[in-house]
Amino acid sequence: MQAILFDLDNTLYPPARELFSLIDVRINRYMTEIVGIAPEDVDRLRRQYWVDYGVTLQGLIRHHDIDAEDYLYYVHDVEVHKRIEVDSKLRDCLAALSAPCYVFTNGSRAHAERVLNCLGIADQFDEIFDIRIAAYLPKPFPAPYQKVLRQLDCLPERSVMVEDSIDNLLTAKELGMKTVLVRDQQPDGRFDAHVDSATEAAGVISGWLSR
């Protein structure tokens, strides 16, 4: 295995930390206070943009001509340290992996760096691939996956995608990547493994690497 790609939010830390809820609030505020969208239209537009483009950002770029960098800075300006703490068990499991690990996120690099630092695992990742990798086109579109793999000079079959999003994992699977779903829910047989945490995911992958 040449590359292990980990999603960030709600994958490397549990959803119960509710960090993404803080980002959600910032997205809504950006739409109303910066873009000038009526509050009663925000939820509807966000749902539509998620269906059409995978993330709110793409809808705002296409229909409201916003500055993507300004958006990324604004919505990720949250107090990560109040929700995320050092995870020494996850660190040990990542350190035991004999293949390089990378973060592959629809968020920003700066946000990923803050999360990794709070978890105490920043030095366990060789690189961070963020929403900029394919001109702000997000997962689950194939383009960002393909650009990451090309940049790593890695065949899909020699990589693993660890994710909490079923849609994002389905794209990875279609491309030929091994897939690990991180969700505390009923098992999903479409993927190579289904675990409750990133720590368990690292353990599963370690087993694959030792074969």
Side-chain angles (χ1 to χ4, degrees):
M1 204 63 64
Q2 295 176 324
I4 305 169
L5 304 176
F6 284 86
D7 176 50
L8 183 79
D9 291 306
N10 295 335
T11 297
L12 285 175
Y13 63 85
R17 296 293 181 182
E18 295 190 343
L19 177 60
F20 204 76
S21 66
L22 300 181
I23 298 172
D24 264 342
V25 170
R26 298 289 292 176
I27 293 172
N28 289 346
R29 284 180 58 185
Y30 188 89
M31 292 176 71
T32 56
E33 298 177 11
I34 307 300
V35 184
I37 296 170
E40 60 270 21
D41 292 333
V42 166
D43 285 345
R44 175 183 60 80
L45 285 175
R46 286 191 64 183
R47 286 195 297 272
Q48 189 61 54
Y49 294 158
W50 269 90
V51 170
D52 292 343
Y53 311 117
V55 286
T56 303
L57 172 58
Q58 271 290 329
L60 294 177
I61 291 172
R62 293 169 186 248
H63 299 287
H64 302 273
D65 196 30
I66 63 121
D67 182 328
E69 292 300 315
D70 180 64
Y71 171 91
L72 290 173
Y73 178 84
Y74 187 98
V75 303
H76 292 117
D77 186 18
V78 296
E79 295 182 310
V80 174
H81 66 280
K82 291 189 174 179
R83 299 292 175 94
I84 305 296
E85 59 191 21
V86 170
D87 189 338
S88 56
K89 187 174 181 181
L90 174 58
R91 177 184 173 80
D92 290 344
C93 288
L94 291 172
L97 291 170
S98 58
C101 296
Y102 306 89
V103 169
F104 179 23
T105 175
N106 280 345
S108 70
R109 171 182 287 270
H111 173 64
E113 289 173 345
R114 287 192 287 269
V115 171
L116 296 179
N117 284 328
C118 286
L119 287 167
I121 58 174
D123 61 337
Q124 299 302 309
F125 292 90
D126 288 18
E127 182 57 278
I128 296 168
F129 299 102
D130 72 358
I131 189 69
R132 300 174 179 92
I133 189 67
Y136 308 106
L137 192 67
K139 300 175 287 182
F141 290 98
Y145 299 78
Q146 292 164 339
K147 291 203 71 172
V148 167
L149 292 171
R150 280 199 301 271
Q151 190 161 322
L152 294 174
D153 193 22
C154 177
L155 293 172
E157 296 80 10
R158 299 291 294 162
S159 67
V160 182
M161 185 75 232
V162 183
E163 264 275 3
D164 70 299
S165 165
I166 288 176
D167 287 343
N168 293 351
L169 272 190
L170 286 173
T171 298
K173 183 179 177 68
E174 288 167 4
L175 291 172
M177 303 171 72
K178 288 186 77 70
T179 52
V180 181
L181 177 64
V182 180
R183 274 196 177 188
D184 183 18
Q185 294 180 3
Q186 186 174 352
D188 192 312
R190 289 175 289 181
F191 307 113
D192 296 294
H194 184 162
V195 297
D196 292 341
S197 68
T199 300
E200 290 184 32
V204 168
I205 296 168
S206 183
W208 293 341
L209 293 170
S210 65
R211 292 175 186 171

